[in-house]
Amino acid sequence: MSKKRRREQPNADTRLIEIYEDLANENEEVRLKAAQSLLSRFTPESNTTNEEVVKALKRLIRGLCSGRKAARLGFSVAFTELLVQLLGPSRKDVSGLDLSISELIELLKEQTHIGGNVSGQEERDHHFGRLFGSEAIIKSGILFRPGISTDYWDSVLNVIFELAKKKPWLREECGWVVYEAIQDLDTQNLNPSYVQAIIDKLNSHGLAKTSEGIAIWIAAQSHFALIELPAGVWQHEDPLYVKEKRNLARILKEASVASSDKNDTEAKIPQKGSWNYKVHFAWPVVLGALLIDQGKPDQARTNISKRLKFEDFWNEAIDNSLFAASSSEVRKYWGLLLFEQMFRDVPENRIHVLFSKNLMRCLMNHLAIRDRYLHRVALKVLKAIHARVEIEPQATAAAIGGLLGPSGQVKFDQATRTKTVEKLLSQIDVQTLRTVLPLFEHLILKPQVQDEPGAASRRQVLADQLLSAVRSKQIDGLSPPVVSEHKACIEHLLSFFVDMAYFSPRLATDPPISKASQDMFKSRISSCLTHLMTKAENPAHFPYYVVNKIHQREEEDTDSQLLFDADNSVRNIVGRAWRTLDKLQLKAEKRQASRQNLSRAFKLLYSLTILQVYNGDSDAVTVLDELKGCYDSLVKHRDKDNQGGSEIMVEILLSLVSKPSLLFRRVAQQVFAAFAPSVNATGLQSMITVLETKENLSGQEEMFDQEDEGQNDENISDVEEIDIAYNGPDNASSPRADNSNDETELSDEQEDERSEDSDGDDEQLAAFDAKLAQALGTRRADEDLAAGDDESSDEDMDDAQMEALDEQLEKVFQERKKATGKKEEKKNARETIINFKCRVLELLEIYIKQQHAHALSLGLIMPLLQLIRTTCSKQVSEKATALIREYFRLCKGTDLPADAEQGILLKLLALVHAEAGRDGSNAHAIACSQASLLLAKVLATKDRDNLRAVIAIYASTQEMLLFDFKCKVKPSFFSDWLNWCVSARLHLQS
């Protein structure tokens, strides 16, 4: 039987190899754990020999020279901590350890020495190892222990500066190590002599006038003001001296200094041969120093009268240098990265400096085209702007000012194909919006162009951006003080728009506001009011504010003139309307809630109508007269309505919704909601008449032009025909019999209307071909084949014949153009009627929601069902179907039109069943079923015995389905009825 081989325990060397392997691991936790394991092997309790320590140090230094994985990071941490443990200020004596700092420095030089014929990569690895080793010695703090000679510090500095001078591509990393050392020396409050040594070594190696030397010099000067700076390097020993501006910009740009009197040491400094994708760390150091110095009080600044200003340096070193027309893409890339970094940190009062002219030109050019070399970094710049604005909203005004100001462009979003300004405006709060408004007002008054079309275009863009800001503000859930501030901000904006639209501005405009711009501002006022009406608690507040501002300015302001030309009669009507509006304003806050809504509705309607008069709408003057009669009837003499105020009001609202304006549509909805309880049968009939209008050109002429008012008597609706022939519930089948011959009348008429355009097009095209052939003296292709080759059309034509032919062709094409215009007119007429019907259905929806328990609302059922069946528009059909469904949903429990007479309900039910028998869509069948069940529900609520008459009507309808093949009732009509009967039976039992 074989024995199992005992597993051998790994020896110490194997474990050490694993530790060194883990130090190069890309996982940070693994590296730190390996470093901790290595340090535990060199404690006083571990009895470590001097040879083991030296061997470990050599191995760690060799690891610093390795480019494998994350070796430099892991070995650098282990090397630093091991030096702290062995030679640091809080070190613990290790028995047998005999290692001095000088030996350590020599060991570093020896292990990183390059000997023999090695590859370029291996040479670079050893240089990096030497730099990382020097950094580890500095960070360990062993050079700054009390009693330690500064010669060791000088030796390490010599290693770093010699490496920086020898290898230009490594100079930035060497400078960063020394720069961080100065920061650490300041944090630990160590002797300034260490920093003095840095400056001396920097100058002796000829690196003072490099980017790294500038950063080191500024750090030493800022943190250790008492050190002695060498003379002759910089004027007044300050690289930020005002006269060093050009020289400083060239050095940071990493171009050779063009001074003719530079010394030999400076001339021997090799320049960097390759570009770095990162911005040199000296740039933020210089800019930060200038910002800090400029932010100090005057008496605390360094060389206040001689040091550079931040804006001067930015314009010279960045805008005129990195973004110069001759600069490479690499330097422009650095400039955009610098902008991104500085925008995050620069104070708010200095943000405008960053948006310099050449920078903005470069940014916009590379944003506009996706294939540009710097497009992605330009997008990063925009992200940096948005990021700071989200954190610090008060920086928005400065950011927008930079994008739209003199260095940017008013049409920044259009030029860059982004929505930067629009997004910034949507993110700001009310307080920030108040700070942004003066900027937009200034740009509108002086849009930085002299030609009128260009100025008008820019003003429109700015007005659109302000409109976008208004629309993006949500006031729901805000505290009352914030809502009040929001209201004041919006009023300020509207007041400025009023100045631009209706008056010759008090402020100087360059160039003057054109007529097109004034109309544009009027349109933007309407757009603002359209949005604000739906958001404000009182919809009439902002419309009244606008017209009241116009009125006040007209009465009080002598600096500007109202641009409103009207005769005395119009002005008298407007003056009378103002007196009524003033009364409404006084009464609006004193009335009870129900009457207050009525007053607010009149106030809203008066305000918008007066505004339309100022806009030059002649129809608005007539509306003001009609409103006076409505006001007297419904408010002033509300107890005796002898003037038909509600009918007039409905006609006024219908005239509003007939116009293609969202503002009028919103106004009509707001006002109708307040007047809905006052609407009578005549008012409803006016709305029903719109729904019955044909959706074609003749329907438009009948509705709007009223060329033939007598047509209404001839075109009797289906409801009227059925109502005349109907004699009661016992005669329920007769309506269908009377209408069996007419059930396809509307559908045939509708089909004729649909085919009218196509038939007309064919006829017009044939006529056009015939006239064209006659003019040219030719035939169509089929006629040429029939005619054969007997005739010839190859005769030549003289000049007179050619001129006559041109005249004939011109006449033919003019007639064709007129025919095409007629077709377009028919199309527009159909769209107008369809939109008008949709708006009326929206008003009826408001009425149904408020007055569904009123018997008058039942009169809407048949017109809606007929509309669903006869309309050519899917949108109209869907709205009407949804209205029937909403009516059915609202009428439940006791919330029913119970005041309707039983006979009228049964007649209406029979009409609904007759309508259900007509050929229609599924939506029409569902609507008929819901309307029938609604009427059955109302009848059952009045008296349960009424259900017997309902059952008789359903039975008669089912009989017609069986024996009358023209009856098109859907099976779902009866299944819905049976389901309702089941639930009604349970309800009757309970």
Side-chain angles (χ1 to χ4, degrees):
M1 182 173 136
S2 62
K3 296 182 179 180
K4 289 184 178 180
R5 186 171 64 87
R6 175 181 290 180
R7 183 178 180 181
E8 296 181 359
Q9 296 293 329
N11 55 32
D13 291 337
T14 304
R15 288 186 178 276
L16 197 58
I17 291 173
E18 292 177 355
I19 291 174
Y20 290 135
E21 181 67 24
D22 289 342
L23 284 176
N25 196 289
E26 294 179 348
N27 190 326
E28 184 180 6
E29 294 183 0
V30 175
R31 295 198 304 267
L32 294 177
K33 187 176 180 180
Q36 187 177 3
S37 300
L38 180 64
L39 295 176
S40 64
R41 300 173 67 89
F42 296 97
T43 59
E45 295 80 12
S46 59
N47 298 322
T48 307
T49 63
N50 188 66
E51 291 75 11
E52 292 176 338
V53 173
V54 173
K55 183 178 179 180
L57 291 174
K58 290 181 179 180
R59 180 65 185 87
L60 290 174
I61 294 174
R62 289 201 303 272
L64 295 176
C65 299
S66 173
R68 181 173 61 92
K69 297 182 181 180
R72 287 198 182 95
L73 297 177
F75 280 86
S76 178
V77 171
F79 187 49
T80 303
E81 294 302 323
L82 183 59
L83 293 181
V84 172
Q85 183 169 309
L86 298 177
L87 301 174
S90 58
R91 67 188 184 283
K92 297 180 181 179
D93 295 333
V94 179
S95 60
L97 178 62
D98 184 18
L99 179 67
S100 64
I101 296 178
S102 59
E103 292 175 347
L104 176 63
I105 296 174
E106 291 301 322
L107 181 64
L108 174 65
K109 293 179 180 179
E110 176 187 341
Q111 294 299 317
T112 57
H113 176 70
I114 303 172
N117 187 15
V118 298
S119 65
Q121 182 61 48
E122 187 176 354
E123 181 181 359
R124 285 191 293 271
D125 289 339
H126 278 74
H127 289 319
F128 271 116
R130 178 169 292 191
L131 177 61
F132 273 77
S134 302
E135 182 183 16
I137 293 174
I138 295 174
K139 287 186 174 181
S140 66
I142 62 177
L143 300 176
F144 311 119
R145 284 166 40 198
I148 299 297
S149 174
T150 57
D151 294 340
Y152 302 137
W153 174 240
D154 293 340
S155 299
V156 174
L157 290 177
N158 284 330
V159 170
I160 295 175
F161 284 125
E162 287 172 2
L163 188 61
K165 189 173 182 179
K166 182 179 180 182
K167 298 297 177 182
W169 52 268
L170 200 56
R171 187 186 303 153
E172 183 176 351
E173 285 72 15
C174 295
W176 177 251
V177 170
V178 178
Y179 177 80
E180 277 200 322
I182 296 177
Q183 307 289 330
D184 294 338
L185 291 171
D186 178 58
T187 303
Q188 300 174 26
N189 293 322
L190 295 177
N191 197 313
S193 60
Y194 295 109
V195 180
Q196 184 68 57
I198 291 176
I199 296 298
D200 293 341
K201 294 294 181 183
L202 179 71
N203 189 38
S204 63
H205 284 83
L207 298 173
K209 286 197 171 183
T210 60
S211 299
E212 299 77 18
I214 292 172
I216 293 170
W217 193 292
I218 292 174
Q221 191 179 35
S222 301
H223 297 294
F224 297 90
L226 299 179
I227 63 172
E228 183 180 351
L229 298 172
V233 180
W234 302 100
Q235 295 189 47
H236 295 273
E237 291 76 49
D238 187 4
L240 302 182
Y241 184 69
V242 64
K243 292 186 178 180
E244 294 285 2
K245 177 174 64 175
R246 189 177 300 273
N247 197 21
L248 183 64
R250 288 174 177 169
I251 294 173
L252 290 174
K253 189 180 176 181
E254 297 188 353
S256 58
V257 181
S259 176
S260 59
D261 57 349
K262 57 185 179 181
N263 53 46
D264 295 338
T265 304
E266 183 182 344
K268 293 179 181 179
I269 300 175
Q271 300 298 315
K272 298 180 181 179
S274 60
W275 77 283
N276 194 344
Y277 68 93
K278 296 184 298 183
V279 176
H280 198 288
F281 77 92
W283 282 102
V285 172
V286 173
L287 293 169
L290 292 176
L291 285 174
I292 293 174
D293 188 64
Q294 202 157 345
K296 295 178 181 178
D298 291 351
Q299 63 273 17
R301 294 188 192 178
T302 306
N303 297 332
I304 179 61
S305 61
K306 300 179 181 179
R307 220 173 196 195
L308 276 170
K309 293 183 178 180
F310 176 78
E311 44 266 43
D312 293 338
F313 176 76
W314 182 269
N315 291 329
E316 176 66 29
I318 296 175
D319 196 58
N320 296 331
S321 181
L322 296 183
F323 288 103
S326 58
S327 291
S328 64
E329 301 291 348
V330 171
R331 288 191 168 86
K332 292 177 181 178
Y333 176 81
W334 287 348
L336 291 176
L337 289 183
L338 266 176
F339 179 91
E340 178 190 1
Q341 292 182 13
M342 295 307 300
F343 191 85
R344 292 195 297 260
D345 304 325
V346 71
E348 180 188 345
N349 60 348
R350 288 287 176 269
I351 289 180
H352 68 280
V353 177
L354 303 182
F355 293 90
S356 49
K357 185 175 181 179
N358 293 332
L359 185 151
M360 289 302 298
R361 184 184 66 247
C362 174
L363 178 64
M364 289 189 292
N365 288 340
H366 287 276
L367 281 173
I369 303 177
R370 187 181 298 272
D371 296 334
R372 286 289 182 91
Y373 181 69
L374 302 179
H375 179 74
R376 294 179 64 184
V377 70
L379 290 178
K380 288 180 63 179
V381 169
L382 296 186
K383 290 180 180 178
I385 293 175
H386 289 300
R388 173 159 184 184
V389 168
E390 288 180 1
I391 300 173
E392 188 181 349
Q394 57 268 29
T396 307
I400 294 178
L403 295 173
L404 305 182
S407 299
Q409 190 177 125
V410 170
K411 296 183 177 181
F412 181 87
D413 285 357
Q414 290 83 347
T416 60
R417 300 177 185 178
T418 64
K419 295 185 178 180
T420 306
V421 177
E422 181 180 343
K423 186 177 179 181
L424 290 174
L425 288 172
S426 66
Q427 292 176 338
I428 60 179
D429 52 19
V430 178
Q431 294 85 350
T432 308
L433 181 59
R434 292 190 71 109
T435 63
V436 172
L437 287 180
L439 168 66
F440 277 86
E441 293 174 3
H442 174 74
L443 292 175
I444 288 174
L445 292 172
K446 299 181 179 179
Q448 304 166 15
V449 290
Q450 293 302 319
D451 61 299
E452 186 175 302
S457 177
R458 292 194 174 193
R459 284 165 175 157
Q460 180 174 347
V461 170
L462 293 167
D464 288 341
Q465 289 171 342
L466 289 175
L467 174 60
S468 176
V470 172
R471 288 173 172 169
S472 65
K473 295 295 161 291
Q474 300 294 333
I475 60 175
D476 298 337
L478 299 179
S479 61
V482 177
V483 173
S484 177
E485 188 172 359
H486 173 267
K487 185 183 295 184
C489 184
I490 298 300
E491 289 175 352
H492 178 82
L493 172 60
L494 291 175
S495 177
F496 177 74
F497 277 180
V498 165
D499 283 346
M500 297 296 102
Y502 297 99
F503 293 89
S504 57
R506 291 171 294 178
L507 303 175
T509 57
D510 186 21
I513 303 292
S514 64
K515 178 65 169 59
S517 294
Q518 290 170 354
D519 293 339
M520 180 271 299
F521 282 115
K522 293 176 183 178
S523 174
R524 297 307 175 270
I525 291 174
S526 298
S527 299
C528 289
L529 296 180
T530 302
H531 172 78
L532 295 170
M533 278 173 48
T534 59
K535 301 297 181 182
E537 180 182 358
N538 180 8
H541 174 79
F542 289 109
Y544 175 76
Y545 175 83
V546 171
V547 293
N548 188 48
K549 179 62 66 173
I550 297 175
H551 186 58
Q552 288 179 350
R553 288 281 307 278
E554 182 183 11
E555 296 292 331
E556 301 172 2
D557 200 343
T558 58
D559 297 336
S560 58
Q561 182 180 0
L562 177 64
L563 304 174
F564 174 61
D565 186 15
D567 55 26
N568 293 332
S569 61
V570 174
R571 291 185 179 274
N572 291 335
I573 294 174
V574 174
R576 186 168 60 250
W578 265 114
R579 289 191 291 273
T580 304
L581 187 56
D582 289 339
K583 294 177 183 178
L584 288 170
Q585 173 65 12
L586 294 175
K587 296 177 180 179
E589 304 300 329
K590 300 179 181 179
R591 296 184 181 274
Q592 299 177 353
S594 58
R595 305 304 301 173
Q596 187 182 59
N597 291 335
L598 192 63
S599 297
R600 285 181 175 179
F602 267 111
K603 179 182 173 182
L604 173 62
L605 199 51
Y606 261 107
S607 299
L608 266 299
T609 307
I610 293 175
L611 184 62
Q612 288 307 112
V613 173
Y614 285 133
N615 288 341
D617 187 355
S618 57
D619 294 339
V621 180
T622 306
V623 173
L624 283 179
D625 272 340
E626 296 174 349
L627 273 178
K628 182 64 171 63
C630 290
Y631 174 77
D632 292 340
S633 175
L634 298 176
V635 177
K636 194 173 182 180
H637 307 293
R638 60 180 180 271
D639 296 332
K640 45 179 180 178
D641 186 3
N642 299 323
Q643 303 180 25
S646 61
E647 293 91 336
I648 300 175
M649 179 58 67
V650 170
E651 294 296 335
I652 292 174
L653 297 182
L654 288 177
S655 67
L656 290 180
V657 297
S658 67
K659 298 179 181 179
S661 170
L662 182 58
L663 176 61
F664 293 155
R665 175 183 169 188
R666 296 278 173 83
V667 171
Q669 292 174 358
Q670 294 281 352
V671 175
F672 189 77
F675 282 98
S678 303
V679 176
N680 55 21
T682 305
L684 281 183
Q685 185 56 44
S686 298
M687 305 174 76
I688 292 172
T689 302
V690 176
L691 302 182
E692 294 173 348
T693 304
K694 296 179 181 179
E695 297 170 359
N696 54 21
L697 184 59
S698 63
Q700 183 187 36
E701 292 174 352
E702 176 187 349
M703 178 58 61
F704 295 103
D705 298 334
Q706 297 181 356
E707 293 179 349
D708 186 4
E709 297 180 356
Q711 289 182 355
N712 292 332
D713 299 333
E714 299 176 5
N715 297 331
I716 302 175
S717 67
D718 291 26
V719 180
E720 292 170 340
E721 292 178 4
I722 297 172
D723 201 9
I724 294 172
Y726 184 69
N727 294 319
D730 298 333
N731 208 6
S733 60
S734 59
R736 293 176 194 81
D738 291 338
N739 288 281
S740 59
N741 296 328
D742 301 330
E743 65 181 3
T744 59
E745 179 182 342
L746 286 177
S747 60
D748 292 341
E749 181 182 349
Q750 180 179 340
E751 186 64 29
D752 292 340
E753 291 175 1
R754 291 177 179 175
S755 61
E756 181 181 349
D757 291 341
S758 60
D759 294 341
D761 292 342
D762 294 339
E763 294 175 1
Q764 291 172 7
L765 184 59
F768 173 73
D769 289 339
K771 291 180 180 179
L772 186 61
Q774 182 180 1
L776 295 175
T778 60
R779 302 183 183 89
R780 296 199 307 266
D782 54 351
E783 294 177 353
D784 283 341
L785 290 175
D789 299 330
D790 296 337
E791 299 179 5
S792 175
S793 60
D794 297 336
E795 297 179 359
D796 294 335
M797 302 176 64
D798 56 20
D799 293 342
Q801 290 174 326
M802 289 293 293
E803 291 179 1
L805 178 61
D806 289 341
E807 293 178 359
Q808 293 178 4
L809 289 177
E810 184 178 357
K811 292 180 180 179
V812 170
F813 282 104
Q814 285 179 351
E815 292 177 1
R816 176 60 177 170
K817 185 176 180 181
K818 292 179 180 179
T820 305
K822 189 68 174 179
K823 179 182 177 182
E824 188 69 22
E825 185 180 1
K826 291 180 179 180
K827 179 182 177 182
N828 294 336
R830 179 175 177 271
E831 293 177 353
T832 300
I833 295 298
I834 288 175
N835 290 331
F836 194 11
K837 288 185 177 182
C838 289
R839 304 294 84 81
V840 172
L841 288 172
E842 291 172 356
L843 296 181
L844 290 178
E845 182 181 4
I846 297 172
Y847 181 81
I848 289 295
K849 288 182 178 179
Q850 293 190 19
Q851 302 296 315
H852 57 273
H854 197 284
L856 198 60
S857 61
L858 293 173
L860 297 173
I861 292 179
M862 283 305 299
L864 290 174
L865 294 179
Q866 292 167 357
L867 178 64
I868 297 171
R869 176 171 53 84
T870 59
T871 182
C872 301
S873 169
K874 182 180 179 182
Q875 183 183 10
V876 173
S877 177
E878 290 177 348
K879 281 183 173 290
T881 304
L883 189 52
I884 291 288
R885 184 170 56 249
E886 181 70 7
Y887 194 6
F888 180 77
R889 185 189 67 83
L890 292 172
C891 292
K892 54 186 177 181
T894 58
D895 199 11
L896 296 169
D899 55 339
E901 296 180 6
Q902 177 181 340
I904 295 177
L905 290 173
L906 290 173
K907 286 183 180 182
L908 185 57
L909 180 61
L911 295 176
V912 171
H913 280 241
E915 180 66 28
R918 292 178 177 269
D919 189 12
S921 62
N922 290 331
H924 175 258
I926 294 173
C928 288
S929 177
Q930 289 178 333
S932 178
L933 295 177
L934 170 61
L935 294 171
K937 190 190 304 184
V938 176
L939 285 165
T941 303
K942 291 180 70 67
D943 188 352
R944 58 186 298 179
D945 291 336
N946 288 335
L947 287 177
R948 301 183 187 279
V950 175
I951 294 172
I953 294 176
Y954 267 97
S956 177
T957 303
Q958 191 170 10
E959 178 184 353
M960 291 299 299
L961 178 63
L962 288 174
F963 297 105
D964 187 353
F965 296 105
K966 293 183 179 180
C967 183
K968 305 294 183 180
V969 178
K970 299 289 192 298
S972 60
F973 188 81
F974 300 102
S975 61
D976 292 343
W977 161 249
L978 293 176
N979 292 332
W980 183 85
C981 287
V982 173
S983 61
R985 181 174 180 269
L986 297 175
H987 179 70
L988 291 174
Q989 289 177 349
S990 62

